[in-house]
Amino acid sequence: MAIHDSKSQRLFVDTPLAGETRLVCDGSQANYLLNVLRMKAGGTVLLFNGRDGEWLARIDDVRKRDCVLVVETLSRPQAAGPDIVYLFAPLKHTRLDYMVQKATEMGVSRLQPVITHRTIADRVNLERMRANAVEAAEQCGILSVPMVSAAIKLSHALDRWEDGRTLLFCDESAPAGSAVADLATIPKGPTALLVGPEGGFDEQERADVLSRPFVRPLSLGPRIMRADTAAVAALALINGTIGAGW
Ligand code: SAH
């Protein structure tokens, strides 16, 4: 992975980035730069939009509530990140925030909430998920912000599964073996990870998941973890094994 400048302030912007572009910075981003960090004209920040790499930009035309960011040089080119979709039964509030932040830090490309039989959270706030993903990407030098998809039923996600994508199923009832050895046998290419809700999967649902040809069950060891812990453990294992070249 390219070394990134971890001292400079990084900002996500939703506009195209190229040399000499002038962007108006206002609202909460301007407030943060000008009032919280007390940055002045001539100061520099790093900008990324998830598509055009990371750019050094200089602050100009400072006014009370806005400034201009003049895009100067490319500091890191956009790299194709891991192709891993994270399917998860949504949790409530702060634990969902945590899960989204950690999954972003570990490089997932898409966040897909799935409603399972024992899912407790009834509404999923996609805006809040997106804001958490952006903040984690800003802080951790990530160049791609994961896509945030609307919640769908788990069975629908499985019925319309994309050809060639392997689904690693975090199955708390799978016999505990070596997750590292299991992951060594996973086909290279597009991957997905499924983590269940606090109550786990019910028997019928588990049988349905296991019957799909693209599914590989994964045990994370003999102890049952909370869903947010299981997600972090599974993504760390994936990053350290099949994800090493991503
Ligand atoms: N209430 C359930 C546990 C659910 S834990 C029970 O007691 O059986 C929440 C989710 O985390 C599970 O659905 C699974 O996807 C994942 N998980 C937790 N511990 C795991 C383990 N040791 N191996 C694989 N997945 C695990």
Side-chain angles (χ1 to χ4, degrees):
M1 182 186 156
I3 304 278
H4 85 278
D5 170 359
S6 57
K7 290 193 198 73
S8 296
Q9 184 58 47
R10 296 179 81 241
L11 289 183
F12 176 82
V13 292
D14 221 354
T15 47
L17 290 170
E20 296 175 32
T21 312
R22 293 175 69 85
L23 307 176
V24 174
C25 174
D26 52 15
S28 57
Q29 285 189 331
N31 182 49
Y32 186 63
L33 290 184
L34 305 177
N35 301 325
V36 179
L37 299 180
R38 300 193 171 279
M39 294 188 76
K40 307 272 180 256
T44 56
V45 291
L46 296 171
L47 304 179
F48 68 109
N49 60 7
R51 303 183 298 272
D52 301 324
E54 180 186 73
W55 291 77
L56 184 84
R58 199 165 293 280
I59 299 175
D60 195 12
D61 285 350
V62 175
R63 298 190 308 178
K64 210 167 175 170
R65 291 202 173 77
D66 57 45
C67 63
V68 167
L69 298 174
V70 186
V71 182
E72 292 189 340
T73 47
L74 182 70
S75 51
R76 280 190 299 157
Q78 189 72 35
D83 183 359
I84 175 155
V85 178
Y86 172 34
L87 289 87
F88 58 96
L91 304 176
K92 289 198 166 177
H93 312 297
T94 47
R95 298 201 26 228
L96 178 60
D97 294 347
Y98 172 88
M99 251 173 38
V100 168
Q101 290 159 9
K102 300 306 136 191
T104 304
E105 288 170 41
M106 290 200 253
V108 308
S109 51
R110 189 157 70 81
L111 297 159
Q112 174 63 73
V114 287
I115 309 301
T116 65
H117 294 171
R118 296 185 183 146
T119 298
I120 290 171
D122 43 1
R123 263 181 354 101
V124 193
N125 184 338
L126 300 183
E127 278 308 307
R128 183 164 165 156
M129 276 175 57
R130 170 105 180 131
N132 271 302
V134 164
E135 192 180 306
E138 283 179 340
Q139 286 173 5
C140 293
I142 303 281
L143 286 183
S144 325
V145 178
M147 228 171 96
V148 175
S149 298
I152 49 170
K153 278 190 173 172
L154 174 61
S155 56
H156 289 182
L158 299 175
D159 288 345
R160 57 175 89 144
W161 197 254
E162 183 192 328
D163 267 356
R165 185 176 294 278
T166 305
L167 176 57
L168 300 170
F169 166 38
C170 283
D171 179 8
E172 69 268 25
S173 307
S178 163
V180 173
D182 290 346
L183 286 168
T185 67
I186 298 298
K188 285 209 178 349
T191 308
L193 174 71
L194 170 62
V195 177
E198 280 317 286
F201 296 96
D202 73 19
E203 268 319 306
Q204 182 199 347
E205 194 169 42
R206 177 170 179 260
D208 178 28
V209 176
L210 287 171
S211 72
R212 312 278 176 154
F214 46 82
V215 166
R216 296 291 199 100
L218 184 66
S219 166
L220 300 171
R223 276 158 297 278
I224 305 278
M225 290 167 267
R226 292 185 359 174
D228 43 356
T229 318
V232 171
L235 286 167
L237 277 166
I238 292 170
N239 272 339
T241 52
I242 50 175
W246 281 344

